[in-house]
Amino acid sequence: MAYSVARATLGLTEPKKIDPPKISFAAKEIDLVEWKGDLLAVGVTERDMAKDENSKFKNLILQKLDSHLRGLLSEASSEEDFTGKCGQSIVLRLPGLGSKRVSLIGLELAAARVIYRSFGEAVSTAAKSVQASSVAITLASLEGIPAELKLSAASAIATGDVLGTFDDNRFKSESKQPALKSVDILGLGSGPELEKKLKYAGDVCSGIIFGKELVNAPANVLTPGVLADEASRIASEYSDVLSAKILDVEQCKELKMGSYLGVAAASANPPHFIHLCYKPPSGEVKTKLALVGKGLTFDSGGYNIKTGPGCSIEFMKFDMGGSAAVLGAAKALGQIKPAGVEVHFIVAACENMISGTGMRPGDIVTASNGKTIEVNNTDAEGRLTLADALVYACNQGVNKIVDLATLTGACVVALGPSIAGIFTPSDELANEVLGASEASGEKLWRMPMEESYWESMKSGVADMVNTGGRQGGAINAALFLKQFVDEKVQWMHIDMAGPVWDDKNKTATGFGVSTMVEWVLKSSS
């Protein structure tokens, strides 16, 4: 499918084609001292590192390793001052085992999915440091872990390992391919149930990596047209279950999307309205869901231009993080193929720029449900695009909608950089999505929908303004979006402005993909 602006040539930048890490996982029940390969990684807690009066490990697995190494493990860990504290790790080259090296990696005592995922990421860091191509992973404390928890621990470790191995080097002049090719998970079970869990982890990781690549791509490469191309490519890759419809400006005008088109009007790159639809390969559809993602491939702020320190204009390529989560979930679900559920993935993609054709402060735009909006701030543009996307989603006959958006700085002030705020009038939907986030390890916090705050959103000349006062900004934004959702449809808004970006590592996180996939799967069953 060709678009009027297929790829921006600004800066002559083209991303290199880099394949995501291909790691084969196997679950094995073999003696870890007999395992042969490059690196044996053992997850330990401070309790596991306890020693008796003879400086011997009390933990049976560490005891066994140490006796094969004639006490060298105990000696080396003491010399390195390794106590098993969370975040600590050592890699040792010791003779006497099948593996060339042993790594001890500190874990928290709590047995939570997020901890096992972090452990998997730490293993990938250790593997990179020694260019290991084959790795075995085990936990020092396996007694007492129930079978179901072992399954989810193995899946979380595999997820962390794949995501930790992935480096987005598409825009670097020189880049290394990761050496890691195979991972054996020891002592956490084996058989078809575990293999299914590991396949699921791989499918979700491919969606997260795709989402990360979309957010990391700069705005001179990822235009609205290119985002639409990427969405169409996913649909053709999984054409047995996914179909794509891309609407151009004229088709959006026919649907009266004045709110979305008002935002898009200033850019030389035309808007593209993306609609992917997942239908199960067989069987009856019991529920219809929609995932709506904010898709601002760049946000200058418009005439209310982002200026001054802390305005983050240089990060505004990530203002399409919601659409990345939605399309990443589509990619994962295209591989998982859940039964009984139909899912609509909707993105109103555009740029918020400045030009003589652009929207001005004080303009009034009319959304596709007929409601009028006085634009008192052109930098509150995401909600204007989502307004028409939400109306469109309701018109697909769905039962439930979740929208994901990097919507407000106010939500980052309230919840910090690693927690997304969720807003919904539905307790049922809140419980479903919070349950999915517990399984995925992503952090969400339910915020109030304080109806009395709507007073600040009233206009003297239109139905509403697009921003209220400074106080309660994330709540006002959610109340605005609610005006465009059919009362019969359960709806949730996720403000993910904080967790979309990892400031320490200067990269996208892929936030939202795994929670949305978990939610769709729970809805399908």
Side-chain angles (χ1 to χ4, degrees):
M1 196 177 283
Y3 296 108
S4 49
V5 177
R7 189 173 287 282
T9 54
L10 182 65
L12 306 180
T13 302
E14 287 286 337
K16 288 204 293 279
K17 175 78 179 125
I18 291 180
D19 291 324
K22 286 188 174 64
I23 303 169
S24 68
F25 286 91
K28 294 182 178 175
E29 293 288 355
I30 61 169
D31 193 332
L32 77 168
V33 295
E34 301 297 326
W35 180 83
K36 287 184 169 51
D38 293 331
L39 179 70
L40 172 65
V42 185
V44 297
T45 63
E46 290 183 87
R47 192 167 57 201
D48 297 329
M49 293 300 292
K51 293 172 185 168
D52 62 18
E53 62 279 4
N54 301 315
S55 298
K56 301 285 185 198
F57 288 113
K58 292 180 182 177
N59 177 277
L60 294 176
I61 284 178
L62 295 180
Q63 214 178 80
K64 187 174 193 178
L65 275 173
D66 201 33
S67 68
H68 269 265
L69 293 165
R70 298 182 184 172
L72 287 173
L73 186 64
S74 171
E75 199 179 301
S77 61
S78 295
E79 281 176 11
E80 296 281 341
D81 201 24
F82 179 84
T83 61
K85 196 174 170 184
C86 181
Q88 275 192 321
S89 66
I90 52 169
V91 179
L92 305 166
R93 185 162 190 145
L94 300 170
L97 292 175
S99 60
K100 291 178 187 170
R101 289 178 175 85
V102 180
S103 175
L104 299 182
I105 294 169
L107 291 178
E108 273 183 59
L109 279 166
R113 181 180 171 84
V114 67
I115 289 160
Y116 293 129
R117 179 167 156 176
S118 298
F119 170 50
E121 287 175 6
V123 171
S124 70
T125 302
K128 277 181 196 170
S129 72
V130 295
Q131 286 291 292
S133 98
S134 55
V135 170
I137 300 177
T138 194
L139 299 171
S141 296
L142 289 165
E143 320 85 59
I145 300 180
E148 182 50 42
L149 187 56
K150 281 186 179 179
L151 285 177
S152 57
S155 161
I157 290 166
T159 299
D161 215 22
V162 173
L163 297 178
T165 303
F166 169 71
D167 285 318
D168 194 350
N169 292 323
R170 294 168 300 154
F171 301 101
K172 291 185 178 177
S173 55
E174 287 179 29
S175 57
K176 268 188 203 167
Q177 280 290 84
L180 188 58
K181 296 288 180 282
S182 69
V183 173
D184 292 338
I185 296 176
L186 310 182
L188 288 172
S190 58
E193 267 302 298
L194 186 48
E195 280 164 28
K196 193 173 154 191
K197 275 274 190 188
L198 292 176
K199 184 200 177 294
Y200 172 75
D203 293 339
V204 175
C205 281
S206 75
I208 294 171
I209 286 171
F210 179 61
K212 283 184 170 207
E213 287 182 329
L214 290 177
V215 176
N216 283 336
N220 63 326
V221 170
L222 191 84
T223 60
V226 173
L227 189 61
D229 275 337
E230 291 292 340
S232 296
R233 191 171 58 76
I234 297 168
S236 60
E237 206 173 328
Y238 307 105
S239 57
D240 56 330
V241 288
L242 283 172
S243 60
K245 185 195 285 184
I246 311 294
L247 307 182
D248 62 18
V249 173
E250 290 309 313
Q251 289 166 303
C252 292
K253 278 182 185 169
E254 282 169 30
L255 293 172
K256 299 184 165 51
M257 295 184 178
S259 186
Y260 164 49
L261 293 174
V263 175
S267 177
N269 288 310
H272 292 75
F273 191 95
I274 300 163
H275 176 198
L276 302 189
C277 180
Y278 168 86
K279 289 191 176 171
S282 60
E284 169 196 1
V285 169
K286 291 172 187 162
T287 186
K288 292 184 182 183
L289 311 174
L291 300 181
V292 176
K294 177 181 168 184
L296 267 292
T297 58
F298 187 76
D299 174 24
S300 70
Y303 278 109
N304 291 102
I305 192 166
K306 295 174 187 289
T307 55
C311 71
S312 299
I313 192 169
E314 70 278 17
F315 289 115
M316 283 304 115
K317 66 176 185 178
F318 75 37
D319 215 16
M320 38 60 66
S323 69
V326 165
L327 297 177
K331 183 176 172 69
L333 291 165
Q335 297 166 77
I336 297 163
K337 304 185 201 312
V341 63
E342 179 177 304
V343 191
H344 296 265
F345 307 89
I346 294 161
V347 176
C350 65
E351 291 182 324
N352 185 25
M353 301 295 280
I354 297 174
S355 79
T357 61
M359 187 170 66
R360 293 150 294 230
D363 283 359
I364 296 174
V365 295
T366 305
S368 44
N369 65 348
K371 292 191 178 180
T372 58
I373 305 152
E374 181 187 358
V375 180
N376 59 359
N377 189 329
T378 60
D379 193 22
E381 83 304 324
R383 64 197 71 181
L384 295 172
T385 66
L386 287 168
D388 283 324
L390 288 167
V391 173
Y392 182 93
C394 290
N395 290 339
Q396 305 312 306
V398 298
N399 313 104
K400 298 174 187 182
I401 298 173
V402 174
D403 80 68
L404 299 101
T406 49
L407 209 64
T408 66
C411 204
V412 188
V413 171
L415 297 176
S418 58
I419 305 168
I422 65 170
F423 302 80
T424 177
S426 166
D427 292 342
E428 183 189 329
L429 185 54
N431 292 335
E432 284 175 15
V433 175
L434 286 168
S437 78
E438 276 175 35
S440 74
E442 293 182 324
K443 293 177 184 175
L444 304 179
W445 189 263
R446 191 175 181 185
M447 302 283 275
M449 296 279 290
E450 180 53 57
E451 292 292 340
S452 67
Y453 289 7
W454 184 246
E455 279 301 309
S456 73
M457 300 293 287
K458 288 181 176 170
S459 163
V461 290
D463 294 332
M464 65 195 87
V465 290
N466 69 326
T467 60
R470 280 179 62 81
Q471 297 173 320
I475 298 171
N476 292 339
L479 292 171
F480 177 90
L481 295 177
K482 186 170 174 261
Q483 311 306 309
F484 303 93
V485 181
D486 191 309
E487 283 180 7
K488 296 189 221 71
V489 178
Q490 287 186 36
W491 157 77
M492 173 185 283
H493 162 55
I494 301 181
D495 192 331
M496 52 183 277
V500 70
W501 190 254
D502 175 351
D503 210 35
K504 182 184 166 194
N505 295 307
K506 297 178 173 51
T507 186
T509 60
F511 186 90
V513 174
S514 49
T515 298
M516 289 300 96
V517 173
E518 285 281 348
W519 176 59
V520 170
L521 289 191
K522 280 179 164 53
S523 301
S524 77
S525 59

